[in-house]
Amino acid sequence: MTTKQGVTNVDTRQELAELVRRRAEISDTLANLERQIYAFEGSYLEDTHQYGNIIRGWDRYQAATKPNVGPDKRNRKFKENERLFSKSSITSMVNSDKSSH
């Protein structure tokens, strides 16, 4: 019976090691996806600032497309609180930065 118990312990340890390895892989994949979302979101917010976007609304679109009205180049920077998608994950770097303060 000790042989069976020994095999069970080895199997359990191997399974645990595999699960820990898989968890680390998944965690790395999640971190990479969150970095991509953060970068794409920043590009989107900067690129759509002039005409409007899902965060600020589309009110500026009509004004920006009128003839004889030049593009509005002022304040192309967006605010960090406009990062709706980056903030939607509790593990994102945006949320972890706030919790460390």
Side-chain angles (χ1 to χ4, degrees):
M1 191 161 199
T2 57
T3 307
K4 190 174 185 180
Q5 183 66 23
V7 171
T8 304
N9 285 341
V10 171
D11 290 344
T12 304
R13 288 182 181 161
Q14 287 175 344
E15 184 179 359
L16 179 60
E18 177 64 21
L19 290 172
V20 168
R21 186 189 62 75
R22 282 184 43 209
R23 181 174 186 230
E25 285 178 4
I26 292 169
S27 182
D28 290 344
T29 302
L30 178 61
N32 288 333
L33 287 172
E34 288 174 343
R35 279 193 290 275
Q36 288 177 350
I37 290 170
Y38 186 87
F40 289 141
E41 183 177 40
S43 295
Y44 170 76
L45 290 172
E46 285 180 6
D47 294 347
T48 60
H49 179 276
Q50 181 178 350
Y51 301 108
N53 57 45
I54 196 167
I55 304 298
R56 291 188 178 189
W58 302 100
D59 296 340
R60 302 179 89 195
Y61 178 75
Q62 201 168 24
T65 58
K66 287 182 182 175
N68 300 329
V69 176
D72 185 6
K73 297 283 186 183
R74 64 189 157 110
N75 194 15
R76 279 187 51 100
K77 191 67 179 159
F78 58 91
K79 298 175 183 126
E80 283 298 311
N81 65 355
E82 293 176 339
R83 288 189 178 274
L84 176 68
F85 300 104
S86 295
K87 289 196 251 177
S88 67
S89 173
I90 61 169
T91 60
S92 75
M93 60 185 158
V94 173
N95 289 328
S96 63
D97 289 344
K98 288 182 180 179
S99 65
S100 64
H101 288 96

